[in-house]
């Protein structure tokens, strides 16, 4: 995919990043099934008590980035790429994204331990 044009948004999807009392970390909200060519405004809110990320990418690229972050565990990696944001508790932000390719992708938080606690969801893009 690629960064989308705010004037061409087809729909808005709201995502809340949360932690549960039993230790899970989740993306709650919106349907993550899209059509190729669709432009989506993701409104992402961190409703939790920890920093979280929302990264849209292929499962392979997310896995590679997850390993990079584990190697840099003491550092606070900022993300300036248009397909990823990092939010402190109480913050919200938007990503506007156009899905250019069909297939199965992933929304994930790659802060060490968060993915393993359930903070990922499949993203499906069809023709």
């Amino acid at each position: 995919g690629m960064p989308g044009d705010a004037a061409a948004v087809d729909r808005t999807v709201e995502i809340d990043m949360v932690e549960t009392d039993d230790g899970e970390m989740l993306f709650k909200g919106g349907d993550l099934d899209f059509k190729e060519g669709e432009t989506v405004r993701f409104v992402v809110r961190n409703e939790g008590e920890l920093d979280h990320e929302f990264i849209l990418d292929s499962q392979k690229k997310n896995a590679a980035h997850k390993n990079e972050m584990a190697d840099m565990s003491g550092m606070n990696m900022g993300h300036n790429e248009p397909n990823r944001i990092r939010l402190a508790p109480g913050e919200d932000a938007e990503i506007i994204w156009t899905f250019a390719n069909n297939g199965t992708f992933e929304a994930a938080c790659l802060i060490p331990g968060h993915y393993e606690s359930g903070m990922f969801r499949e993203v499906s893009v069809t023709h």
Side-chain angles (χ1 to χ4, degrees), residues 19-37:
E19 301 110 32
T20 66
D21 291 337
D22 61 358
E24 284 186 302
M25 297 181 191
L26 305 170
F27 291 132
K28 290 186 149 189
D31 173 21
L32 298 181
D33 294 325
F34 305 103
K35 296 284 185 198
E36 189 175 335

Side-chain angles (χ1 to χ4, degrees), residues 11-103:
R11 70 174 152 139
T12 298
V13 174
E14 296 186 7
I15 301 290
D16 291 330
M17 300 184 288
V18 300
E19 301 110 32
T20 66
D21 291 337
D22 61 358
E24 284 186 302
M25 297 181 191
L26 305 170
F27 291 132
K28 290 186 149 189
D31 173 21
L32 298 181
D33 294 325
F34 305 103
K35 296 284 185 198
E36 189 175 335
E38 188 173 9
T39 298
V40 178
R41 177 189 323 272
F42 290 93
V43 178
V44 184
R45 287 182 290 274
N46 184 349
E47 300 289 342
E49 297 179 11
L50 303 170
D51 283 8
H52 292 297
E53 297 179 321
F54 182 82
I55 300 175
L56 287 170
D57 217 327
S58 68
Q59 292 168 331
K60 183 178 179 180
K61 286 184 181 177
N62 275 345
H65 185 75
K66 184 171 160 290
N67 290 336
E68 285 175 26
M69 288 192 63
D71 291 343
M72 304 172 80
S73 61
M75 301 174 71
N76 183 4
M77 278 180 77
H79 295 304
N80 294 322
E81 295 88 352
N83 64 327
R84 54 186 75 198
I85 53 174
R86 183 176 181 134
L87 298 174
E91 288 186 329
D92 60 77
E94 292 183 353
I95 290 177
I96 299 175
W97 196 253
T98 298
F99 290 95
N101 303 307
N102 67 331

